[in-house]
Structures are given as structure tokens and as C-alpha cells.
Amino acid sequence: MNTLMIPARDGAKLACHRYCPEEGSDTHARLLFLHGGSFNSRRYANIAKACVKKGFEVVLCDWRGHGDSEGTPGTCDYVGQLEDDISDTISWFEQKQPLPLILGGHSSGSVICLRYIEKYGQDKLAGCYFIAPAISNTLEPLRFDEPGSKKSFLMNYWRKKPGYHPAQESSLKHIPKMNNRKFLLALVLPFLRHRTVMSFPGSAKMAALEGRVLNYSFNLMASVSVPKYSIAFRQIKVPIAFICGEADEILNPSFLPMVAQWHLPPTLDKEVHMLPKLNHISVLSGAARVLPQWLVQRWVKSAGHQEHKEQLLEQAG
Amino acid sequence: MSEHNNEGCFFRQQLTDQQFPNNQELQGFEQGQCYIKGYLTNEQDVCKQLKIENGDQQALLNAALKYWGFEVNKHLYGDYVLVWLNREQLLVTSSARASFTLYYQENNGLALATDLNRLSDQGEATLNQAQLLQTLALGLLAGKNTCFEHISQLQCGETLIWQLHQSIELSHQYRLTHAEQLKLAQRNKLPTAEPIAPRVIDDVDLTGLFNQLPSLAHRLGEPITDVALAHFDSLVQASKSDTLLLDCSWLTARNVIGEQLFHNNHRWCKDILRRPLLQQRKQLNKRQKQLFTAFEEEQNEQQESLSFSQWLDLHYVIPAWCKILQRICQHYGKTLINPYIGSEQIMTGSLTEGVTEVVSEEITEMKQADNQSLAYFPLQQISLANVYDAMQRLFHVGEPGTLKLFNLNPAVTGRLVRRQTDDLRRVEQLSVFLLTFDYLARFHPGHFN
């Protein structure tokens, strides 16, 4: 593994941890991986190693302000800066050594990928994958009811919600808490958009040791959310995989199968892997098993891959 | 029974100028040959009658057409659609009570196909709003129209002949009467087939069923009118045999129209229809009058004692339902053997599980209870994979085309769900129709917007 510092359009250096297959062996494609909210790339080395074994180059990217990347922790300059950073990273690799590119991430990282696809299209992508994508702008993807969800349901549907299913204590350790008052103030007053509106659970000491960022500003929070997921997903035209634990604390277990059937194009190459007993974090061990299989089925020794690779080489040469 | 043909066919001839007189596209069959989709049940008898060597179906069909011409469907028994083409003519015919479908498009030439998607994907298809309102108000009824303008379907027992000159003309149109069709259909000896599992809704995986709706709508190329179709689809997919015998429990899932409700059928969902659809009421009323007149004429001729709703069920609802079940089987390369329903079964009431005709208060209550039990999705269960919730979500995420035709205001949909608890199945059907319509609008915006 080697760490590259890639310049973003504003001059900030973004850390990319690159895992390459052994020298002399064929590299089928390049995976760009974005870590989940509050974390950094360190946690994802097992997935990278599993994919490298199958002949894929993996680039674990630290978001700006996270891990080894430059930037202010917990905020960004404007809403949408993170997908601009992905675009810059992709362009940099494309110039240096073109390979078919597969983009994805975990939790909020996969939401940034979705935002990238919405903004920049998929011309540069050969595939995408979403591990437990934390889509939380609307009520329906959520596994547990939030306080006030009965009222929201009544306001949205003009019917009474018959049940209320709040999250158990044990499930709350991965769910960030939003300060609604601060959020609304930041929404109205742009100069407050660098102040914290959302906090992840966890002790500050442990977070410092792990290199985690626990507090997010309005700008950063809005950069990791998709207002209308159905519109974003329908644009996808490249092979796509969803990987999620059945015991995920954030996502309703019916959500991803529903998205795959109702919001992705009917003829698209799509797969949903709902892994039993795994939650929002432990799904990473399952993903290290499932993701390489999905990649091998599609990009190893296929004629399409060869063609795509030749095209890219021609463009570069 | 003859061998099943599950291969589709496609024909197109565009109006051309004199420089290109033969602008024809053909798939699945050749000029001078017959194409048959479905099966014959009296092949051996016809072979003997026409002195044809048994086993050569193409020779048999050619000889039968030569001998009986456009009346061939009176002599060939079975369940099929037949296409015959030469340089000058195109003939299409279907058996009495055929459950196989053939679509044709008479717009800037002539095109026909066994798969609706082949015609609607040609780029000129637009939505037939009058047909849309009819389906919402009355459910599936057998007829010529499809949900697309200019795309029609061959009706049961109908024969059409076009002259293929530079201007394509329909030169012959004939359809067997209802009585003739019933008589001929009863002569069919049902071939042996694996019975498909009966319709039991207690142990259905509702999330799976909900997620099956879009792919079914995509395959069929039109919105889904009932969750039962997705249930049927899952059982067909799981079945091992290529030939399936329809279990009568699947016929009870059809939308039976009560006599009193016939004239005000769309009132229950009127609030949800926007102006473009409400403007189609004249055509709906016209169609209702046509059906009623046809019923009265037939009653006078035949002195039958079927009520209007029984007559409608026998000749329009059941054939339409069987056609859609057959189309689902065809997508898996399977053939559905249709046990033909006669007027006796309709009159004895063995298939009237869902009838909403008002007879007495007690019976009405019983039937309403039946209707509730027939609905798949429970109203009080709030879930991501629940059609009622999903219908209400369309207000937030629906397509412009859907929102232009349907008033999906949460207050309106909420009231519909709250108040129609005694007729839950109809709300379920409406929800399923809206959801699959919106899905198709999302991925086929040219057709459904």
C-alpha cells in the first residue's frame, strides 16, 4: 500500500491509499472506495486486500478533513465539494494510468458516490457499489421510528400511524443525532453553515485515537445526503451492487430490494446482497467476501473489459 | 394437442413510395408460411379430413387456410392466434376464446407482433387515456383497444385480412359471435398439463410480491391491474412444467363488475382523477352504453337468462383475465391451458367470489367480507413494501406524467384509504395500477407521459 496526496481543485491535498496487485499480474479494474461518515480509510483495509487478491487495484480515499487528507475536520467549503473531490481524484488517476473504474463506498461514502453520479454522470465509470448506503432524507428508508415520526406520518399521509417502533439503546451507537434547532438556523442563515449541526455518538478520546470526526457542520451534512434518491438512482446505467446487513441499524431491510426493483432501470445489471445477522459496521466483513465475487463475475477476462481497457489506453496514448 | 409454439413473431410494412415497394420486416415466420402461436386440439381430425400427412403442421395450416379461407377458426379447434402472409395479403385470425394475444398497429403502414413491447417501443406509441379510464373504472375487459393509441389487439374469434399494396387496406373483418365462440370452445379437449398451484393468499411474502410488480409491468409493457397477477407470476416462475393447467381459483381473482355499479363505477375514485382523465368520461359512457345494447340484443336473440353482470363476466372479464394470465406464462416460455368457462358455471355462481352486485344487505356484507379477504395488503400495516403507503409516496416522488393525470394529494389518497375500508381490494387495485403506471412512466417516458 502506498499513500498518494492528490491535489483537489482548491489546492487541498487529498489522501488516497492505493493497494495494487502484485507486479506482473493483470489488473482488471480500479476500485475507488469512500469511507463512511465520521470514519476514515483505516477501517477498510480488509476489503481492499480481498479485492487486490482477485486482481483489482483499490484506492481508499479519505474525505477532506478526514484521515490524512487536508481540510477542516467536520466541515467543507460548500455543499457538493466532496463529489468535486471525487471528480478531481478520478481525473488524476485517469491521466496517470487509465483503468476501468468502479466507484463505491460505505454508508455516507456511498451517498457521496450517488451525488457524484448525479452531478458528473457515469461516462468515466464501469460499475458502482453501495455498502449500507445511509440515505436518510426521508422517513421510508429508516429502520426505526424517530421521535415525532407519528406526527410526520400524519402530516405526510393524512392517516394515523398505527405503530411506533423506536430504536433500542444498542442500536443507537451508530446513529448520529441531529440538532434540529441549529440545523434550521443554518438553513436560514448561511454564515452558520460551518457550525456543528449533527454529532456521532462516541467518546472524544477514542475518536481522537481512531482519527474519527464526530461533529458535522450543515455543509458537510448536506454534502452526504441525497434529497431525492429515486431520481438519483434511476440515472444509473452501469452494473450496480448493493451490500447491506439484515440487522443494519439505519436502513430498513426492505429498502434496498425495493430500490433495486422500483428505482433502477429494469434491464440494468443489478444485485442486492442482504447479509444475515450483520449490522451497519459488521457488514464490512461480509462485504470483503461478497464484493470481490461480484467484481470477478463482471470484470475478469471479459471481452467487454478488454475492449474498454483498449479504448482507455488509446485515449491515453 | 399440437406442439406449442412459444416463439414470438413480428411483421412491419411501412407506407412507401414507388422506389421502395417492399419495405417489409419479418421475424419468426416467412412469406407463404403460417405462423401459429398456441396449440390445436383437433389436428389429427383435420389431417384426416384434408388428407394431410399427420405431423406436418405447416402443411396442415396451409391446406386448412386454402380450404376454409377466413373461416378457418371455425374448423381448427384449440387456443391460438394464426398469421398467414403472402405477397399481397396478410391474414390474422384467432380461435374462439383465444387466450393468446396478437397486437397490430395501423399507423403509417402496418405492424403486428405477439409482444406488446415490440410495437410500443417503435417510438410512435402514445397513451390511450380513454382506455386508461375504462380500466380504472371497470377493470380489464376484453376488447380491441390497448393502453396505447393506434395499437390494437386481435379479439377472440376475430379474422382480419389486409391487402398489402402501396396503401395498406383492411379488406376483411369478421368475428365469431359470443354463442359461436362458446360452442366452439366447448369442443376443445383439454390437453394434459400440470395444474398450477391454487391461489392461497395467507402465506404470501408480501415484500416479494410488492417488488415483483415493476418487473412484471415492464415485461407486459403496461400497468398492472391486480396484485394477484404478480402472485400468479411468481408461481409460474417457480413451476417446473412447460404446460400449466389454470386452476379455477385464479379466475376468482378477476374484477367482477356488479350491475348497479356498472353505470357509476368510477365515482369511488373520481377524486383521484385529474382533468385529462375526467374528460374521457364521454367515451367511457359510450362504451358502457355499447356493452349494454349488445347485451340486450343478445338476450333478445338467444333468450338466455344471464344477468348483465354475468354476461359481462362471461364474455369480457374472464377472456381478458385469461389473456393476461397467458401472457405472463408466455414470458417464461410456458403455455397455460385454459379451462373454458361456460354460462352454466357463471349461472351456478361457482366463480363469483368477488361479485359486488347488490342483492340483499346480508349478502352484500358477506361479499364485502370476501372482498376484504381477497386483498393482499393489510391496510393497518405501515410498511415500505405496502401498496397503500407507496401510492401515497407518489405525491413526493411521482413522475410529472402521473401527477398530471392523477390527483395524488395526500389528503385525497389518505381519505380514499380511510374511507374505502369496506372495499379494500379496489383501493389495492388502484394503488397497484398507479404505482406500476408511474414506474413505466419513469423508464418509458415517451409512452406514459
Side-chain angles (χ1 to χ4, degrees):
Chain A
M1 189 270 287
N2 60 333
T3 300
L4 305 162
M5 296 305 284
I6 293 169
R9 63 192 67 182
D10 66 340
K13 294 276 171 57
L14 304 171
C16 290
H17 310 283
R18 189 184 193 187
Y19 294 74
C20 296
E22 281 176 20
E23 265 184 48
S25 63
D26 199 14
T27 306
H28 307 298
R30 174 179 294 128
L31 258 80
L32 227 62
F33 191 105
L34 292 166
H35 59 78
S38 118
F39 292 106
N40 55 52
S41 294
R42 278 188 222 168
R43 197 178 269 264
Y44 302 87
N46 60 335
I47 293 183
K49 285 172 187 167
C51 296
V52 166
K53 269 187 194 171
K54 300 289 180 188
F56 292 86
E57 182 186 309
V58 181
V59 179
L60 302 179
C61 309
D62 283 333
W63 308 359
R64 65 171 53 229
H66 291 68
D68 299 329
S69 286
E70 292 178 3
T72 316
T75 191
C76 55
D77 297 340
Y78 55 90
V79 178
Q81 194 173 24
L82 299 184
E83 60 256 28
D84 289 347
D85 288 346
I86 299 183
S87 173
D88 296 340
T89 308
I90 288 174
S91 302
W92 189 89
F93 276 102
E94 213 175 36
Q95 275 184 348
K96 297 285 173 192
Q97 190 196 359
L99 273 174
L101 184 78
I102 300 151
L103 179 67
H106 170 233
S107 188
S108 306
S110 48
V111 179
I112 302 170
C113 297
L114 195 58
R115 287 180 63 102
Y116 167 83
I117 289 170
E118 216 181 353
K119 187 168 176 180
Y120 289 96
Q122 303 143 74
D123 294 348
K124 293 179 176 176
L125 303 186
C128 56
Y129 59 94
F130 298 82
I131 303 170
I135 293 167
S136 53
N137 282 68
T138 51
L139 288 177
E140 70 263 15
L142 303 180
R143 186 184 192 105
F144 297 111
D145 286 333
E146 290 175 335
S149 64
K150 273 196 162 185
K151 214 180 267 177
S152 310
F153 189 88
L154 187 66
M155 281 165 66
N156 277 317
Y157 296 151
W158 287 54
R159 287 191 284 144
K160 277 185 185 170
K161 192 175 190 302
Y164 178 66
H165 307 286
Q168 291 171 337
E169 284 263 327
S170 58
S171 304
L172 290 170
K173 64 181 177 186
H174 301 304
I175 302 176
K177 273 190 183 166
M178 166 93 101
N179 186 324
N180 287 328
R181 195 177 59 85
K182 285 184 177 174
F183 174 81
L184 289 172
L185 275 173
L187 190 68
V188 180
L189 306 168
F191 62 88
L192 294 178
R193 289 184 182 172
H194 290 288
R195 294 197 185 169
T196 299
V197 296
M198 189 174 79
S199 302
F200 286 86
S203 78
K205 266 188 185 176
M206 279 302 291
L209 281 172
E210 290 174 353
R212 287 181 65 190
V213 179
L214 295 183
N215 299 318
Y216 274 27
S217 70
F218 177 94
N219 273 353
L220 190 56
M221 199 207 73
S223 295
V224 294
S225 50
V226 172
K228 288 205 169 177
Y229 65 84
S230 67
I231 293 173
F233 276 119
R234 90 171 58 159
Q235 295 170 16
I236 293 178
K237 291 183 177 69
V238 291
I240 177 173
F242 289 117
I243 302 167
C244 190
E246 282 180 358
D248 193 288
E249 296 88 346
I250 296 171
L251 279 181
N252 185 323
S254 303
F255 178 67
L256 292 176
M258 187 276 286
V259 166
Q261 292 303 320
W262 285 92
H263 298 293
L264 289 175
T267 51
L268 187 71
D269 174 3
K270 55 196 168 193
E271 270 187 21
V272 182
H273 298 271
M274 295 301 295
L275 307 177
K277 295 178 186 171
L278 299 180
N279 68 9
H280 197 68
I281 297 299
S282 61
V283 71
L284 295 174
S285 60
R289 183 167 39 84
V290 173
L291 186 62
Q293 287 171 6
W294 179 75
L295 294 168
V296 167
Q297 282 165 10
R298 278 154 191 83
W299 284 279
V300 176
K301 287 180 184 171
S302 76
H305 157 65
Q306 287 297 338
E307 257 175 44
H308 190 64
K309 203 173 162 183
E310 278 166 20
Q311 273 177 6
L312 287 169
L313 285 169
E314 262 180 38
Q315 282 167 12
Chain B
M1 185 181 79
S2 65
E3 279 181 21
H4 302 178
N5 179 8
N6 278 321
E7 297 297 315
C9 86
F10 177 74
F11 163 85
R12 184 167 61 170
Q13 180 164 330
Q14 286 178 322
L15 286 181
T16 53
D17 54 30
Q18 290 190 342
Q19 282 180 311
F20 307 101
N22 269 328
N23 190 8
Q24 257 182 19
E25 198 182 331
L26 266 180
Q27 270 172 33
F29 69 117
E30 291 170 17
Q31 277 216 356
Q33 281 199 340
C34 272
Y35 166 85
I36 184 166
K37 189 163 183 81
Y39 57 88
L40 301 173
T41 54
N42 66 338
E43 200 168 342
Q44 288 184 350
D45 298 340
V46 177
C47 279
K48 271 185 201 168
Q49 198 179 342
L50 299 178
K51 294 172 186 165
I52 303 284
E53 196 182 331
N54 203 359
D56 188 351
Q57 197 185 52
Q58 196 55 238
L60 167 81
L61 294 173
N62 276 319
L65 271 163
K66 204 172 173 184
Y67 193 71
W68 288 302
F70 57 80
E71 289 197 328
V72 71
N73 61 354
K74 284 186 182 173
H75 302 274
L76 293 178
Y77 306 151
D79 189 352
Y80 59 86
V81 287
L82 195 76
V83 184
W84 180 74
L85 173 76
N86 71 8
R87 283 175 187 274
E88 289 151 6
Q89 281 188 337
L90 175 72
L91 177 145
V92 294
T93 187
S94 72
S95 61
R97 292 295 143 121
S99 63
F100 290 87
T101 321
L102 187 73
Y103 298 96
Y104 59 94
Q105 186 174 22
E106 294 170 295
N107 185 25
N108 190 26
L110 175 68
L112 67 89
T114 44
D115 184 0
L116 179 61
N117 284 322
R118 282 302 301 269
L119 296 185
S120 58
D121 285 349
Q122 295 294 315
E124 289 166 7
T126 51
L127 196 64
N128 183 341
Q129 290 178 352
Q131 184 63 21
L132 194 64
L133 181 63
Q134 186 193 298
T135 310
L136 284 168
L138 305 173
L140 287 175
L141 290 184
K144 183 185 170 188
N145 293 335
T146 67
C147 64
F148 298 109
E149 296 278 3
H150 306 300
I151 300 180
S152 309
Q153 54 184 320
L154 188 67
Q155 298 181 75
C156 303
E158 190 177 32
T159 305
L160 303 172
I161 300 174
W162 285 277
Q163 301 300 324
L164 304 176
H165 304 300
Q166 276 175 11
S167 62
I168 296 164
E169 281 172 24
L170 181 67
S171 62
H172 177 84
Q173 186 170 19
Y174 175 74
R175 193 174 172 218
L176 299 173
T177 63
H178 289 147
E180 280 175 322
Q181 287 194 49
L182 287 179
K183 209 169 150 187
L184 286 167
Q186 278 160 9
R187 290 184 192 163
N188 277 348
K189 290 170 196 161
L190 285 189
T192 48
E194 179 199 343
I196 193 158
R199 179 170 168 260
V200 181
I201 64 174
D202 296 342
D203 59 346
V204 177
D205 166 22
L206 288 179
T207 305
L209 209 57
F210 177 79
N211 286 335
Q212 192 135 359
L213 289 167
S215 71
L216 180 61
H218 171 69
R219 272 178 280 141
L220 294 177
E222 58 186 342
I224 303 299
T225 50
D226 203 304
V227 192
L229 296 173
H231 186 191
F232 182 78
D233 183 57
S234 61
L235 291 178
V236 173
Q237 193 179 12
S239 67
K240 286 174 185 164
S241 176
D242 285 344
T243 312
L244 301 167
L245 180 66
L246 181 64
D247 185 275
C248 280
S249 61
W250 288 102
L251 284 179
T252 60
R254 73 201 187 278
N255 174 44
V256 185
I257 305 160
E259 202 156 336
Q260 287 194 349
L261 292 170
F262 183 71
H263 294 292
N264 55 7
N265 217 318
H266 63 290
R267 282 191 190 159
W268 69 281
C269 67
K270 197 177 158 190
D271 288 348
I272 219 164
L273 308 177
R274 280 194 189 272
R275 190 176 290 171
L277 278 182
L278 287 170
Q279 280 171 346
Q280 309 298 325
R281 271 180 300 181
K282 274 185 189 173
Q283 290 204 45
L284 177 65
N285 292 338
K286 198 176 150 192
R287 177 74 178 137
Q288 285 176 323
K289 272 183 194 166
Q290 273 175 358
L291 288 168
F292 210 78
T293 315
F295 164 69
E296 284 178 338
E297 280 173 4
E298 266 188 44
Q299 289 302 95
N300 293 338
E301 280 172 21
Q302 291 158 23
Q303 305 290 313
E304 270 192 8
S305 53
L306 286 174
S307 70
F308 174 65
S309 62
Q310 287 172 333
W311 175 85
L312 202 65
D313 198 23
L314 180 64
H315 298 303
Y316 290 89
V317 179
I318 292 176
W321 188 251
C322 290
K323 268 181 186 264
I324 199 149
L325 296 182
Q326 183 70 266
R327 282 175 66 198
I328 290 171
C329 289
Q330 291 289 300
H331 279 282
Y332 294 104
K334 298 181 181 189
T335 299
L336 186 68
I337 306 296
N338 179 10
Y340 293 95
I341 303 302
S343 47
E344 303 80 33
Q345 281 141 300
I346 295 287
M347 283 163 74
T348 53
S350 58
L351 292 165
T352 53
E353 201 179 337
V355 174
T356 51
E357 193 177 357
V358 180
V359 181
S360 72
E361 264 184 41
E362 200 180 330
I363 292 174
T364 311
E365 277 171 24
M366 271 169 55
K367 283 169 181 172
Q368 280 170 353
D370 271 349
N371 266 350
Q372 281 200 35
S373 69
L374 284 170
Y376 282 82
F377 288 93
L379 183 63
Q380 288 306 315
Q381 188 191 58
I382 303 300
S383 154
L384 188 66
N386 183 311
V387 288
Y388 310 112
D389 302 346
M391 173 180 69
Q392 291 207 277
R393 277 203 300 277
L394 283 185
F395 172 72
H396 303 286
V397 298
E399 291 305 296
T402 313
L403 301 176
K404 192 177 137 195
L405 292 173
F406 300 99
N407 182 14
L408 294 167
N409 185 322
V412 172
T413 50
R415 193 168 59 222
L416 187 76
V417 174
R418 279 199 317 270
R419 289 192 182 169
Q420 296 287 337
T421 48
D422 56 342
D423 201 356
L424 207 52
R425 189 150 177 256
R426 302 187 70 179
V427 186
E428 184 184 86
Q429 285 173 337
L430 175 70
S431 309
V432 168
F433 191 89
L434 286 172
L435 288 167
T436 49
F437 179 88
D438 190 76
Y439 172 78
L440 292 170
R442 209 171 303 150
F443 295 109
H444 302 281
H447 309 167
F448 289 91
N449 278 327

